[in-house]
Amino acid sequence: MKAYAQPIKKLISELGKLPGIGEKTAARLANYILRSTEDDVIKLAESIVEVKKKIRLCRVCLNLTEEDTCYICSDASRDKETICVVEDPDALAAIEESGGYRGTYHVLHGALAPLDGIGPDNLRLGELVRRIDEGQVKEIIVATNTNVQGESTALLLTRMFKEKNIKLTRIAMGMP
Ligand code: ZN
C-alpha cells in the first residue's frame, strides 16, 4: 500500500474491513471508485449512510425496517399464529421471495456458536419468548441453517418451547 496517496490508502483500509474483501480486492474497488464519476460516488456514499440512519429493527420480529414495525408485521392478512424463526434478515428475504408463506417471522440475528463465544444471550431470544407468552402463537417453524450452528440453535429452541403448548416444525435453510 506504500505507493498509494494517503486518501487512497485510507479508502483501501476501510473497504478492507468489509467481509470477504482482502487488500487486493479493496485496492481494485478503490481504483474503480476513483474512475467513477463524482455523481456515482456520492450516490454510493449516501446510500451507505442512509441505510445506517434510516434502517432499524422491527419492534415485533426484529426484521430490518424503516418503520416502527415492518411491512410483514403490520400486514393484517398475515397469520400471526405462526412464527418462522430465522437467523438473519437474508434468510427472511429468501423465504419471502420464494412466496407462499403467510405467517410472521422472528429474526434471531445470529446462531449459537460456542467456539466463537456466541451463546443464547447473544441471540434475540427474549423478544421471541415474550411474543409466545402473549399467547397468540400456535406454531413455530424453525428455519435456521442446516450447519452445526443452525442445528444447535434449532435444538435450543426445541428445548425452550417444549413445555409450551406450541407445535414446533423444523425446516432446512441454506447449505449444510
Ligand atoms: Zn416485523
Side-chain angles (χ1 to χ4, degrees):
M1 272 224 278
K2 269 199 294 267
Y4 295 108
Q6 186 54 35
I8 304 173
K9 274 190 206 163
K10 190 176 160 200
L11 178 60
I12 294 174
S13 143
E14 290 306 316
L15 290 169
K17 292 179 187 168
L18 297 171
I21 309 286
E23 197 180 302
K24 256 189 182 159
T25 309
R28 217 175 57 227
L29 289 170
N31 274 306
Y32 173 81
I33 289 167
L34 275 171
R35 288 194 312 269
S36 303
T37 65
E38 193 168 334
D39 209 37
D40 281 343
V41 173
I42 288 170
K43 267 188 219 151
L44 172 66
E46 280 177 351
S47 67
I48 292 172
V49 175
E50 196 179 342
V51 287
K52 212 47 209 167
K53 280 194 175 152
K54 288 192 180 167
I55 300 295
R56 50 191 153 143
L57 301 183
C58 169
R59 189 172 54 79
V60 181
C61 74
L62 308 173
N63 184 19
L64 302 174
T65 175
E66 266 189 89
E67 316 293 335
D68 187 39
T69 43
C70 74
Y71 74 97
I72 297 166
C73 291
S74 17
D75 183 345
S77 75
R78 302 290 294 228
D79 169 17
K80 304 286 193 306
E81 295 182 349
T82 308
I83 295 180
C84 178
V85 181
V86 292
E87 290 182 20
D88 50 46
D90 287 345
L92 184 155
I95 297 172
E96 276 304 289
E97 275 157 30
S98 74
Y101 179 65
R102 296 301 302 160
T104 57
Y105 294 91
H106 186 84
V107 185
L108 292 173
H109 292 278
L112 286 183
L115 295 179
D116 299 322
I118 301 171
D121 291 347
N122 301 106
L123 308 180
R124 303 298 290 264
L125 291 163
E127 291 88 346
L128 179 60
V129 172
R130 211 173 312 137
R131 287 174 77 186
I132 285 157
D133 286 343
E134 281 167 8
Q136 203 190 351
V137 179
K138 293 199 168 65
E139 181 174 8
I140 295 176
I141 298 166
V142 181
T144 51
N145 292 338
T146 47
N147 54 20
V148 178
Q149 292 89 337
E151 291 300 345
S152 25
T153 308
L155 195 65
L156 172 74
L157 292 168
T158 311
R159 288 204 188 116
M160 280 175 69
F161 299 120
K162 71 167 182 242
E163 301 296 312
K164 320 238 177 204
N165 191 21
I166 288 171
K167 186 181 172 206
L168 208 125
T169 316
R170 171 84 171 111
I171 60 161
M173 276 295 288
M175 301 303 275

